[in-house]
Amino acid sequence: MTILDLKTPCTACKGSGQQAGISDGGISQIHASGRCLRCSGRGFLLTDLGEDVWNMLRPFIRDLIDERLDARAGVGR
């Protein structure tokens, strides 16, 4: 498995994560944040396999973050 099995470049921003404007009915409008709306500024979209892997790992990552925050706050001692 390679990283390309998990994600593909965003076609809306061509992988840059940035969009200068939004075409609404053929009229370009200012896009304040500049971030691509389709990929949320990441520059890539997850494939189905990437979504599956992310959904599998998300609870473990959340637990690791919670444990680290609890350790910093001194909780659980």
Side-chain angles (χ1 to χ4, degrees):
M1 179 183 336
T2 67
I3 195 71
L4 294 176
D5 295 329
L6 303 176
K7 67 179 190 172
T8 59
C10 177
T11 55
C13 66
K14 297 177 180 60
S16 71
Q18 302 293 315
Q19 272 187 326
I22 303 170
S23 178
D24 186 18
I27 301 170
S28 291
Q29 297 181 357
I30 296 172
H31 182 49
S33 72
R35 290 175 31 176
C36 176
L37 297 177
R38 184 155 189 225
C39 67
S40 300
R42 297 178 300 185
F44 65 88
L45 301 169
L46 293 175
T47 62
D48 289 339
L49 179 60
E51 285 284 342
D52 291 343
V53 170
W54 174 241
N55 289 332
M56 180 184 68
L57 293 177
R58 187 186 321 217
F60 298 110
I61 294 170
R62 186 173 293 139
D63 288 344
L64 288 173
I65 293 170
D66 289 343
E67 287 174 14
R68 181 68 177 161
L69 291 174
D70 289 347
R72 281 188 175 179
V75 177
R77 290 185 176 186

